[in-house]
Amino acid sequence: MSSNYCESVIENYRHRMPLQMRFNDIDMLGHLNNSVYLTFMDLAKARYCRGGQRR
């Protein structure tokens, strides 16, 4: 899957929030820890409910 495809799909969403992964979010194999996805969702939900910036 090319990055152009991913960028075009992202543009279809009305609300999005850039996130930065921390060192402790990634395991020894370089995979994102499963519990981090829920944290990311909570952060995005809170920003949405507060009326965060729309892109």
Side-chain angles (χ1 to χ4, degrees), residues 21-33:
M21 291 187 287
R22 300 170 295 188
F23 176 76
N24 61 339
D25 293 341
I26 300 172
D27 66 12
M28 291 174 53
L29 298 175
H31 300 123
L32 189 65
N33 191 321

Side-chain angles (χ1 to χ4, degrees), residues 13-45:
Y13 290 96
R14 293 178 57 194
H15 303 280
R16 54 191 179 275
M17 180 178 139
L19 297 168
Q20 182 173 352
M21 291 187 287
R22 300 170 295 188
F23 176 76
N24 61 339
D25 293 341
I26 300 172
D27 66 12
M28 291 174 53
L29 298 175
H31 300 123
L32 189 65
N33 191 321
N34 289 336
S35 63
V36 177
Y37 289 107
L38 296 175
T39 304
F40 288 167
M41 291 295 293
D42 283 340
L43 288 169
K45 179 178 64 174

